Amino acid sequence: MEKKKEITATFDQDSKRYHRYLIDEGQGVVGTIYIPKGKEIPKEMIIKLKVKE
């Protein structure tokens, strides 16, 4: 299992309450990141994945 994987997400559009970023294709990870409007948008973000016990 890989210890770390860097991925990129690109701004897609704004909704009424969120900024939406799509995880770019071809990275082995899919999904969307929503950041609430009014919050600072980070330049980089670390997401730690946890496995349920």
Side-chain angles (χ1 to χ4, degrees):
M1 177 184 276
E2 290 184 55
K3 294 286 184 183
K4 292 184 181 183
K5 180 168 185 78
E6 186 173 318
I7 61 168
T8 58
T10 303
F11 176 76
D12 181 47
Q13 68 179 25
D14 284 334
S15 69
K16 184 176 180 179
R17 295 185 180 105
Y18 298 97
H19 304 289
R20 183 170 79 185
Y21 287 78
L22 301 177
I23 294 176
D24 298 338
E25 293 183 32
Q27 301 181 93
V29 177
V30 296
T32 308
I33 298 169
Y34 292 92
I35 300 173
K37 286 186 174 178
K39 300 284 183 180
E40 184 176 344
I41 299 172
K43 189 168 187 127
E44 291 185 351
M45 160 182 302
I46 296 172
I47 298 172
K48 293 188 178 188
L49 302 177
K50 296 184 177 184
V51 178
K52 287 186 177 182
E53 293 185 40

